[in-house]
Amino acid sequence: MKFFIDTANLDQIREAQELGVLDGVTTNPSLMAKEGITGRNNILKHYVDICEIVDGDVSAEVIATDFENIIKEGEELAELHEQIVVKVPMIKDGVKALKYFSDKGIRTNCTLVFSAGQALLAAKAGATYVSPFIGRLDDISTDGLNLIAEIRHIYDNYGYETQILAASVRHTMHVLECAKIGADVMTGGLGAITGLLNHPLTDIGLEKFLADYKKGNE
Ligand code: G3P
């Protein structure tokens, strides 16, 4: 299972990269705004800065919502760096753009996916990744993990190569359940990754090992 971090914060990206388990980064316009990155040139430079920190794929989202401008913007993003994956919303012109990019060998991440039908369309259009938002479904009393399971089932039925990128992952249990279901990738905040480290028995056990070592070596 690949671990992506869902942030535009360079310090957090560096921290996850230094841990040695990071496979990529996802961003969106809200995450960019949260870091105070505004203006087209600054946003494009920020994507390149992220690519220089990590080895893996970096999703960069288009703002346009019509086919012509999605293509224009996506091609500009893809030109920025070989690690860039063009993030395209699940709308009609977005689906057309996914097919266009797929035919041109430009990798894509279909975002804002909330149903299995949308995920099926994204796969048929040749998306590299599909991003179902599980946390936002949980927020409205709908089981986000069930959507991951449905998409896994459908993709396996037909051997679609589109990778399921579980997005809007909020905590460690989302990560574990996605791993059990067989999501190809998860993207979440730094805490969802580092939280996997923690167990009180590890802390107690280590404390005892060190205390016993100290006793025998004084
Ligand atoms: O990047 C898209 C997605 O991960 C957003 O997550 O927490 O804002 O629902 P969230």
Side-chain angles (χ1 to χ4, degrees):
M1 185 193 206
K2 290 189 219 166
F3 278 13
F4 288 1
I5 188 168
D6 194 29
T7 184
N9 182 291
L10 298 183
D11 289 338
Q12 289 184 17
I13 293 169
R14 267 187 217 101
E15 189 177 336
Q17 174 69 18
E18 282 164 14
L19 191 58
V21 298
L22 190 68
D23 301 297
V25 177
T26 51
T27 61
N28 62 42
S30 304
L31 294 171
M32 282 292 195
K34 192 173 164 196
E35 298 308 316
I37 314 297
T38 55
R40 194 73 194 144
N41 289 342
N42 291 334
I43 290 171
L44 296 182
K45 180 184 174 302
H46 203 73
Y47 285 138
V48 175
D49 290 345
I50 294 173
C51 289
E52 283 170 1
I53 296 172
V54 300
D55 301 320
D57 290 349
V58 175
S59 286
E61 188 159 342
V62 299
I63 304 301
T65 55
D66 64 285
F67 178 74
E68 199 180 306
N69 284 306
I70 292 174
I71 297 308
K72 195 169 153 215
E73 218 186 308
E75 286 179 337
E76 185 185 16
L77 290 169
E79 280 289 305
L80 280 180
H81 198 283
E82 61 186 5
Q83 286 164 242
I84 292 283
V85 173
V86 180
K87 207 169 176 187
V88 177
M90 171 38 78
I91 54 176
K92 198 172 187 181
D93 282 23
V95 172
K96 282 159 72 177
L98 289 172
K99 174 73 175 120
Y100 173 91
F101 288 135
S102 168
D103 289 346
K104 287 199 81 177
I106 292 174
R107 293 174 311 134
T108 53
N109 175 356
C110 181
T111 190
L112 290 166
V113 166
F114 293 93
S115 76
Q118 291 178 326
L120 179 57
L121 265 182
K124 283 194 67 68
T128 312
Y129 297 101
V130 65
S131 286
F133 281 26
I134 61 175
R136 292 192 193 185
L137 282 170
D138 288 356
D139 288 345
I140 57 157
S141 310
T142 302
D143 186 356
L145 289 166
N146 184 54
L147 175 58
I148 301 295
E150 280 184 341
I151 300 170
R152 179 76 282 153
H153 185 86
I154 291 167
Y155 283 12
D156 288 351
N157 277 350
Y158 298 99
Y160 286 123
E161 287 179 9
T162 300
Q163 294 178 56
I164 303 172
L165 196 172
S168 188
V169 161
R170 302 272 173 79
H171 48 70
T172 53
M173 285 311 290
H174 271 160
V175 179
L176 288 180
E177 292 302 323
C178 283
K180 285 193 233 170
I181 293 165
D184 301 286
V185 191
M186 79 85 199
T187 191
L190 184 60
I193 298 173
T194 56
L196 295 169
L197 273 167
N198 303 330
H199 200 290
L201 290 179
T202 304
D203 300 337
I204 293 165
L206 182 59
E207 199 179 325
K208 172 115 177 65
F209 285 158
L210 295 179
D212 288 344
Y213 174 83
K214 204 171 164 196
K215 270 189 256 163
N217 289 277
E218 270 169 349

